[in-house]
Amino acid sequence: MELYPSIEKSDIQEIKAFQEKKLKEVLQYLEANSPFYQKLFRENNINISEIQKLEDLKKIPTTSKNDIQQNNQDFFCVPLSQIVDYSTTSGTLGDPVTFGLSDKDLERIAYNEAISLACAGIQKGDVVQMVTTIDKRFMAGLAYFLGLRKMGASVVRMGPGIPELQWDSIFRYKPKYLITVPSFLLKMIDYAEKNNVDYKKSSIYGAICIGESIKNQDFTDNILATKIKEKWNIQLYSTYASTEMGTAFTECEFQKGGHHHPELIITEILDDNENPVKEGESGELTVTTLGVEALPLLRFKTGDLVKAHYEPCECGRNTMRLGPVVGRKQQMIKYKGTTLYPPAMNDILNDFNGISCYQIVIQSNEIGLDEIIIKLSTENDSENFENEVRDHFRAKLRVSPKIEIIDFDVLSKIVFHPNSRKPITFTDLR
């Protein structure tokens, strides 16, 4: 298997031509096999033979997660007897959305993770400790395992949580990389310092960071990454993925955004009117999956607001790179005339050393306006701590949220819920 696909270092026009060929194959497959897209093409008088260029995609209506939730079975393109794995992702209307994967789809996500992790520097023979769940119908953990296996790395399947066991495993098997939610690294460091674990002399070289942002928009380390590196000088690599895409955007050694795999996905960055944004502007990532057999998606709006970077990377790849997620479109908050997204609030809370865990809660007040409540646990018993947090919000974001101090044992069970693969630091009750 080619871990460093040549198409990613090809000329921009070659990549475009390659993707347009793949697009035609997807359209033909959907027209032949997808009840949902057959209906969409018919109702919108779409002749797929007229979709020749990537620019022609705008002739086709976009697809949202609501569409999948309301018509889940109609998205399946193969008989259920060919589904070898069921994964789910959160739905916008309450119930989870089911994604089935065929044997070919499992091979595809294995290939995706293999080339993505190779992009970050993992090589055949490296030992990698997975600090992430592989069960509970999450696709991510399964994808990491299959990708590492496919590229010839050794896997230590630890699962999330329990710093003591993580360190025991690290010193026992000497992994070079961790795959983890980055905020958990702070918990591992805290445990190590309190229990005289010489973590700075461990085998760990780097961590593939999932679920949380570690970069600012200019690719400098954000507050979370800075706090980790101040304590533990390891490499941190960003990655962005979702169940719907079945594809990852992972940083290379130059850490300037997650690289696009043109053989696996077509990307568009769209504004509120579903027009392509100008270069350098942020917009909603919209994707068309390539090579998916069971549940392919065409012009699927991810809900994530991102900025794309098109200049060639120092690593030699000419593929587009995605910067950190600006925010989720549905999580946009209008608070007293100010537009906010959770990542900006995360940065402020991560800036406080005394906060052991937190959750941002958004709800509508009695007159229908957005209200921000910051629930946090702290070891700081200063009477002024609440005011310090509130003042920091006021200085950085020009808003003054309500602060609630909650016992760690109570809040941590909500934030680090066993059924979630990443901390639940944001809850929208609107």
Side-chain angles (χ1 to χ4, degrees):
M1 189 195 73
E2 188 182 11
L3 285 175
Y4 308 96
S6 56
I7 186 63
E8 300 187 4
K9 294 189 177 182
S10 298
D11 177 85
I12 295 295
Q13 290 307 313
E14 284 183 63
I15 294 175
K16 185 173 185 290
F18 172 86
Q19 288 217 300
E20 287 171 346
K21 178 176 179 292
K22 292 288 186 182
L23 174 60
K24 293 173 187 176
E25 294 172 5
V26 170
L27 292 171
Q28 290 168 3
Y29 183 79
L30 291 172
E31 188 169 63
N33 298 286
S34 172
F36 178 84
Y37 287 110
Q38 287 168 350
K39 181 181 178 184
L40 183 141
F41 293 159
R42 185 172 61 250
E43 291 181 347
N44 291 276
N45 298 314
I46 293 168
N47 181 350
I48 63 168
S49 65
E50 296 176 357
I51 311 298
Q52 296 289 319
K53 303 291 184 182
L54 296 183
E55 292 81 2
D56 295 333
L57 276 168
K58 63 184 179 183
K59 300 176 182 178
I60 302 173
T62 57
T63 300
S64 70
K65 187 175 279 191
N66 280 356
D67 292 320
I68 306 176
Q69 192 155 27
Q70 293 169 348
N71 307 276
N72 210 167
Q73 289 303 313
D74 286 346
F75 277 87
F76 280 74
C77 292
V78 299
L80 295 185
S81 59
Q82 291 184 28
I83 301 300
V84 298
D85 180 79
Y86 284 99
S87 295
T88 53
T89 185
S90 59
T92 55
L93 302 176
D95 291 333
V97 175
T98 297
F99 277 76
L101 290 89
S102 67
D103 195 60
K104 179 182 175 183
D105 293 335
L106 286 182
E107 280 295 316
R108 180 185 173 280
I109 65 168
Y111 169 78
N112 161 73
E113 287 301 339
I115 63 174
S116 297
L117 295 171
C119 182
I122 297 177
Q123 300 177 8
K124 180 178 181 179
D126 285 342
V127 180
V128 181
Q129 185 157 314
M130 283 176 46
V131 190
T132 179
T133 186
I134 198 170
D135 56 4
K136 298 175 182 173
R137 301 197 305 263
F138 290 137
M139 183 189 287
L142 177 63
Y144 302 138
F145 174 78
L146 292 175
L148 290 165
R149 177 176 177 270
K150 194 171 189 67
M151 71 187 302
S154 300
V155 187
V156 184
R157 291 180 293 107
M158 276 304 299
I162 318 178
E164 181 180 6
L165 285 181
Q166 301 293 346
W167 285 118
D168 176 78
S169 182
I170 287 170
F171 286 103
R172 188 182 300 271
Y173 303 111
K174 296 179 171 50
K176 186 176 181 181
Y177 293 90
L178 302 174
I179 299 178
T180 182
V181 173
S183 60
F184 185 69
L185 293 173
L186 291 175
K187 296 190 177 303
M188 289 180 61
I189 293 167
D190 182 62
Y191 176 87
E193 291 181 338
K194 289 177 178 176
N195 292 274
N196 298 315
V197 175
D198 195 359
Y199 64 95
K200 292 181 180 179
K201 290 186 179 179
S202 73
S203 58
I204 300 301
Y205 167 80
I208 310 301
C209 296
I210 63 174
E212 296 172 330
S213 176
I214 55 170
K215 293 289 176 65
N216 297 312
Q217 289 300 319
D218 62 358
F219 300 123
T220 56
D221 289 340
N222 68 7
I223 292 167
L224 175 58
T226 300
K227 290 179 76 170
I228 294 168
K229 289 184 177 180
E230 282 174 351
K231 294 279 191 176
W232 196 11
N233 187 28
I234 60 175
Q235 296 296 312
L236 302 177
Y237 299 89
S238 288
T239 184
Y240 165 79
S242 72
T243 297
E244 295 91 345
M245 297 191 301
T247 311
F249 294 76
T250 304
E251 286 187 320
C252 67
E253 66 269 29
F254 294 98
Q255 300 179 9
K256 299 289 185 180
H259 279 282
H260 170 221
H261 299 310
E263 66 271 47
L264 295 176
I265 200 164
I266 293 170
T267 61
E268 303 171 78
I269 314 291
L270 304 179
D271 63 19
D272 290 340
N273 297 315
E274 299 194 348
N275 294 314
V277 299
K278 295 178 182 177
E279 192 166 327
E281 293 182 352
S282 62
E284 184 171 7
L285 178 65
T286 302
V287 301
T288 296
T289 55
L290 302 175
V292 174
E293 186 173 52
L295 212 153
L297 295 174
L298 176 64
R299 301 201 79 205
F300 173 75
K301 297 171 72 174
T302 64
D304 288 326
L305 299 174
V306 299
K307 188 182 294 184
H309 299 262
Y310 297 96
E311 63 277 8
C313 184
E314 294 173 73
C315 70
R317 292 176 178 85
N318 291 318
T319 48
M320 177 271 285
R321 289 166 291 116
L322 281 185
V325 173
V326 176
R328 283 194 61 78
K329 196 168 186 179
Q330 68 190 49
Q331 291 178 352
M332 185 182 81
I333 305 154
K334 292 292 287 186
Y335 188 74
K336 297 182 179 178
T338 300
T339 299
L340 301 171
Y341 291 99
M345 291 187 280
N346 291 338
D347 281 348
I348 289 175
L349 293 166
N350 287 331
D351 202 17
F352 282 91
N353 291 324
I355 295 177
S356 46
C357 77
Y358 65 83
Q359 186 177 73
I360 302 162
V361 178
I362 308 300
Q363 61 186 31
S364 295
N365 62 18
E366 63 277 4
I367 57 174
L369 298 177
D370 290 349
E371 187 174 63
I372 304 172
I373 302 170
I374 308 296
K375 299 182 177 182
L376 58 87
S377 299
T378 179
E379 299 170 358
N380 190 325
D381 56 6
S382 166
E383 294 181 3
N384 292 323
F385 187 71
E386 282 187 46
N387 289 333
E388 289 176 21
V389 174
R390 196 177 291 107
D391 288 347
H392 205 41
F393 267 88
R394 194 179 291 118
K396 295 290 186 180
L397 298 178
R398 302 193 306 277
V399 300
S400 181
K402 181 180 178 182
I403 309 293
E404 292 183 4
I405 306 296
I406 298 176
D407 185 81
F408 178 79
D409 290 340
V410 175
L411 186 58
S412 63
K413 290 176 182 177
I414 300 170
V415 175
F416 303 103
H417 196 280
N419 290 334
S420 177
R421 66 179 183 272
K422 54 190 176 183
I424 305 172
T425 57
F426 179 82
T427 299
D428 194 340
L429 301 179
R430 291 174 295 182

